[in-house]
Amino acid sequence: MAKKAVATFAAKAGAKSMVKCIRMEKSPKTGAYIFSEQLVETEKAKDFFNGKK
């Protein structure tokens, strides 16, 4: 039987809630689309999608 993997992010010692953001970008070399994934804080999700670092 397959096991289901579940990831939880607990709020330990002042840790902020995190979300996984996936953005599709066009590669300048090949022109193909690539996906960049990153775990960011909830408040900074809009900055991630606007391209700010």
Side-chain angles (χ1 to χ4, degrees):
M1 291 184 125
K3 289 189 177 183
K4 186 176 181 181
V6 177
T8 58
F9 301 106
K12 298 179 188 174
K16 299 188 178 187
S17 57
M18 305 286 280
V19 292
K20 182 177 184 179
C21 296
I22 303 171
R23 177 176 53 206
M24 186 170 70
E25 301 172 338
K26 195 167 190 176
S27 174
K29 268 188 178 178
T30 62
Y33 286 98
I34 58 173
F35 296 93
S36 63
E37 300 178 7
Q38 191 173 4
L39 283 173
V40 296
E41 296 175 7
T42 307
E43 297 84 23
K44 297 182 181 179
K46 286 188 179 183
D47 292 338
F48 174 78
F49 289 114
N50 290 333
K52 299 177 187 174
K53 292 187 179 184

